[in-house]
Amino acid sequence: MQTETIQIHTEFIKLQDLLKFAGAVETGGDAKLIIQEGRVAVNGETCTMRGKKMRPGDRAVIDGELELVVQ
């Protein structure tokens, strides 16, 4: 599994914005689709909420292949 660390300078970032910012998806529509399909796990649990607040220390895994760690 590939792991990428994403540095944020705010209190949180929404899950859909994290996926776009990290380059895991090209558009917000793509982010919405993969989140709604249940292909994203946040901290080990499937998450279908696009607006999930991701804070430093949280991890999002896409299709079990790409892990995004928020710092």
Side-chain angles (χ1 to χ4, degrees), residues 8 12-13 15 18 42 52-55 58-60 70:
I8 63 171
F12 65 87
I13 185 171
L15 178 58
L18 174 68
V42 174
K52 171 78 173 157
K53 293 179 181 177
M54 302 292 291
R55 292 183 163 81
D58 286 340
R59 298 170 180 268
V70 181

Side-chain angles (χ1 to χ4, degrees), residues 1 4 14 19 21 31 34 40-41 43-46 50-51 53 57-58 61-62 64-65 70-71:
M1 179 183 328
E4 290 186 29
K14 291 182 181 178
L19 299 184
F21 183 70
I34 70 166
V40 180
N43 298 329
E45 296 183 18
T46 301
R50 292 182 294 145
K53 293 179 181 177
D58 286 340
V61 178
I62 305 162
E65 297 174 3
V70 181
Q71 281 194 338

Side-chain angles (χ1 to χ4, degrees), residues 10-49:
T10 57
E11 180 184 348
F12 65 87
I13 185 171
K14 291 182 181 178
L15 178 58
Q16 67 179 5
D17 297 332
L18 174 68
L19 299 184
K20 288 190 301 185
F21 183 70
V25 295
E26 291 186 19
T27 67
D30 291 342
K32 177 181 176 180
L33 185 64
I34 70 166
I35 293 168
Q36 286 181 337
E37 289 177 346
R39 295 169 50 192
V40 180
V42 174
N43 298 329
E45 296 183 18
T46 301
C47 181
T48 56
M49 298 181 299

